[in-house]
Amino acid sequence: MKQAKISEAVVRRLPVYLHVLNELQRSEIQTVSSQDLGQRLDLNPAQIRKDLAYFGEFGRKGIGYEVSYLIEKIRQILKLDQQLNVALIGAGNLGQALCNYNMYIKDNMKIVAVFDAHPAKIGSKINNMTVLDMEHLKPTVESLDIRIGIITVPAVEAQNVADKLVSSGIEGILNFAPAILKVPEQVRIHHADFTTELLSLAYYLENGADNNDDDKVVD
Amino acid sequence: MKQAKISEAVVRRLPVYLHVLNELQRSEIQTVSSQDLGQRLDLNPAQIRKDLAYFGEFGRKGIGYEVSYLIEKIRQILKLDQQLNVALIGAGNLGQALCNYNMYIKDNMKIVAVFDAHPAKIGSKINNMTVLDMEHLKPTVESLDIRIGIITVPAVEAQNVADKLVSSGIEGILNFAPAILKVPEQVRIHHADFTTELLSLAYYLENGADNNDDDKVVD
DNA sequence: TAGATTGTTAATCGATTAACAATC
DNA sequence: TAGATTGTTAATCGATTAACAATC
């Protein structure tokens, strides 16, 4: 059974499913239906079933999905069944905040090295890690088997850092800088640029005077 | 002049256009074609033209778009032509990092108040703002005309904070906590949850040995 | 003018939703 | 069994892309 090409939209929903499933497990709920998941996530049950079916048959007809089994499967799909080492570049407030998120451990993602270009930062400690000089990037990526890089430097430095990550052999980048980065095709880049979300949020604010309720939804 | 319903995908691209246009302006480029914009953003030129055409006729046939005019128009559409006041809840590392982003000023978005529930934080200074008790949320929102709230508290506290933001009269929320929040329909909520981006990034990493389409994943 | 480029309609592509046989 | 729910195909919906007349 070869996998059809799976769209990004599908892949992006998997972590969301995982998140709810983890909550269900914490509540000691054993089994869940696509119906129920759909309600909790505001998604169509058929979509959830279809998403999961791309990867295998994880449910049981008439019953639903076993929570722990589905968690296990989604974690496999997302490659979270192995530890994934991450490097973080940019030891500012944002970088420190990310380092402190211990959520990584649960998901087998771990920031194992922190880098910065500024002498003032180098040598300081974040979460028991010593901030390293950029010179150490490539050797560290190689010796610690780091596969993902997180960029938390200012926008002007972001492309430069991305280039260095690429040539150090990283496979994926999560970019927090509000900048459009060019990387070779084989390197996957995801954006965590909240400015887009914030500015587009403004669009939906009421305009004081004119409330256009021409698209009012009734259910 | 009542506009057709505009999809979220379109609205979400506007800040991206704005970003590139700002860069062009800094380079003192006066005029840009959809072709050119498309190249810079890896988007189809027809899509860019169509997106913009939802809001008006901003270009000139045979010429393209005047950069400064288009910036002005997009800022109007996104309601960034007026100052938008923002409250931030959660004065941890992430909250501090966001406060320090001075990008807001350029875009007329400004964090004008910071709140935290923990006595240790209250009264401390961030970016010249005193961190306030949550008790002050509603009166401050009203007196400073705050319309957007940013949530940077831990996941377990996020729903509680969201509720308080809603009842204080906020119109939009940007949520950084990895939690699914329930808010009334009239409040717009956007997610800046990078964990989704990070976990879905893992999916695209190479599987070491097998990256061919004819190998199925079996346990 | 001739070349370039918009705004917009039509065509295509892809993603979501509905429907239902299979089956627990 | 009868009710519930999956996996999957077919139908629908929406978004992207192509094409082109209008026109700067």
Side-chain angles (χ1 to χ4, degrees):
Chain A
M1 182 230 273
K2 43 180 76 174
Q3 305 195 131
K5 215 191 91 206
I6 287 153
S7 83
E8 291 194 24
V10 173
V11 174
R12 218 171 285 263
R13 280 191 292 268
L14 296 179
V16 183
Y17 299 156
L18 191 55
H19 182 257
V20 175
L21 289 165
N22 281 326
E23 279 188 345
L24 290 172
Q25 195 168 54
R26 245 175 280 132
S27 315
E28 294 179 12
I29 291 167
Q30 318 271 313
T31 295
V32 69
S33 66
S34 60
Q35 177 87 227
D36 187 358
L37 274 177
Q39 241 153 31
R40 291 170 191 271
L41 288 167
D42 243 319
L43 291 176
N44 185 299
Q47 180 168 68
I48 296 174
R49 293 201 299 280
K50 201 164 200 280
D51 284 355
L52 296 174
Y54 282 114
F55 303 99
E57 306 197 359
F58 303 143
R60 277 171 43 188
K61 292 186 173 73
I63 309 292
Y65 300 90
E66 199 197 325
V67 172
S68 64
Y69 181 70
L70 192 52
I71 288 176
E72 188 192 322
K73 283 301 174 184
I74 294 179
R75 288 170 61 85
Q76 278 175 15
I77 294 162
L78 292 175
K79 303 195 181 69
L80 299 172
D81 52 341
Q82 57 191 302
Q83 181 170 315
L84 278 179
N85 290 337
V86 176
L88 184 140
I89 326 295
N93 279 320
L94 182 55
Q96 284 174 48
L98 298 185
C99 284
N100 292 331
Y101 266 63
N102 64 356
M103 148 229 80
Y104 297 118
I105 287 114
K106 169 168 75 48
D107 288 319
N108 275 345
M109 281 217 178
K110 198 177 173 189
I111 295 175
V112 294
V114 180
F115 299 85
D116 204 294
H118 301 95
K121 290 273 171 57
I122 295 160
S124 66
K125 286 267 185 182
I126 295 180
N127 235 25
N128 290 327
M129 285 175 290
T130 304
V131 177
L132 300 173
D133 193 284
M134 286 300 280
E135 304 292 302
H136 291 82
L137 182 62
K138 188 167 181 170
T140 308
V141 164
E142 284 163 1
S143 64
L144 294 184
D145 188 28
I146 293 170
R147 305 178 69 185
I148 290 178
I150 299 182
I151 298 180
T152 51
V153 300
V156 286
E157 299 168 31
Q159 182 63 60
N160 181 20
V161 168
D163 294 344
K164 285 182 176 157
L165 280 169
V166 167
S167 62
S168 76
I170 225 103
E171 294 171 58
I173 291 174
L174 183 64
N175 174 38
F176 279 84
I180 298 145
L181 305 182
K182 304 278 183 195
V183 294
E185 225 182 284
Q186 76 274 11
V187 175
R188 178 92 194 171
I189 187 158
H190 281 202
H191 290 275
D193 180 7
F194 67 93
T195 62
T196 299
E197 287 299 330
L198 188 55
L199 298 188
S200 64
L201 181 59
Y203 172 82
Y204 293 98
L205 299 180
E206 287 300 332
N207 243 338
D210 62 359
N211 47 335
N212 56 336
D213 42 339
D214 52 348
D215 52 46
K216 190 159 271 175
V217 182
V218 183
D219 30 75
Chain B
M1 61 144 269
K2 268 306 153 202
Q3 30 202 10
K5 216 190 91 205
I6 288 152
S7 82
E8 293 194 23
V10 173
V11 174
R12 217 171 285 263
R13 280 191 291 268
L14 295 179
V16 182
Y17 299 157
L18 190 56
H19 182 257
V20 174
L21 289 165
N22 281 327
E23 279 187 346
L24 291 172
Q25 194 168 53
R26 243 174 283 132
S27 315
E28 293 179 13
I29 292 165
Q30 318 271 316
T31 293
V32 69
S33 66
S34 59
Q35 177 87 228
D36 189 356
L37 275 177
Q39 240 152 32
R40 292 171 191 269
L41 288 167
D42 243 318
L43 291 177
N44 186 300
Q47 179 169 69
I48 296 174
R49 294 201 299 280
K50 200 163 200 277
D51 284 354
L52 296 173
Y54 281 115
F55 303 98
E57 305 198 356
F58 303 142
R60 278 172 43 189
K61 293 185 173 74
I63 309 293
Y65 300 90
E66 199 196 324
V67 173
S68 63
Y69 181 70
L70 192 51
I71 287 175
E72 188 192 324
K73 283 302 174 183
I74 294 179
R75 289 170 60 84
Q76 278 173 19
I77 295 161
L78 293 175
K79 302 195 181 67
L80 300 173
D81 52 342
Q82 57 192 303
Q83 181 171 314
L84 278 178
N85 289 338
V86 177
L88 184 139
I89 327 295
N93 279 320
L94 181 56
Q96 285 175 47
L98 297 185
C99 284
N100 291 331
Y101 266 63
N102 63 356
M103 150 228 78
Y104 299 116
I105 287 117
K106 168 169 75 51
D107 288 319
N108 275 346
M109 281 215 178
K110 198 175 173 192
I111 294 174
V112 294
V114 181
F115 299 86
D116 203 294
H118 301 95
K121 291 271 170 57
I122 295 160
S124 66
K125 288 266 186 185
I126 294 180
N127 236 25
N128 289 326
M129 287 175 289
T130 304
V131 177
L132 300 174
D133 193 285
M134 286 301 281
E135 304 292 304
H136 290 82
L137 181 61
K138 188 167 180 167
T140 308
V141 164
E142 283 163 2
S143 64
L144 294 184
D145 188 28
I146 293 171
R147 303 178 69 187
I148 290 178
I150 299 181
I151 297 180
T152 51
V153 300
V156 286
E157 298 168 30
Q159 182 62 61
N160 180 21
V161 168
D163 294 343
K164 285 181 175 157
L165 281 169
V166 167
S167 61
S168 76
I170 225 99
E171 294 172 59
I173 291 175
L174 184 65
N175 173 39
F176 279 85
I180 298 145
L181 305 181
K182 303 279 181 194
V183 294
E185 226 184 284
Q186 78 273 11
V187 175
R188 178 92 194 171
I189 187 158
H190 280 201
H191 290 276
D193 179 7
F194 66 93
T195 60
T196 299
E197 287 299 330
L198 187 55
L199 298 188
S200 64
L201 181 59
Y203 173 82
Y204 294 98
L205 299 179
E206 289 298 332
N207 244 337
D210 52 6
N211 57 347
N212 238 335
D213 49 313
D214 58 357
D215 54 77
K216 59 173 175 181
V217 183
V218 186
D219 36 318

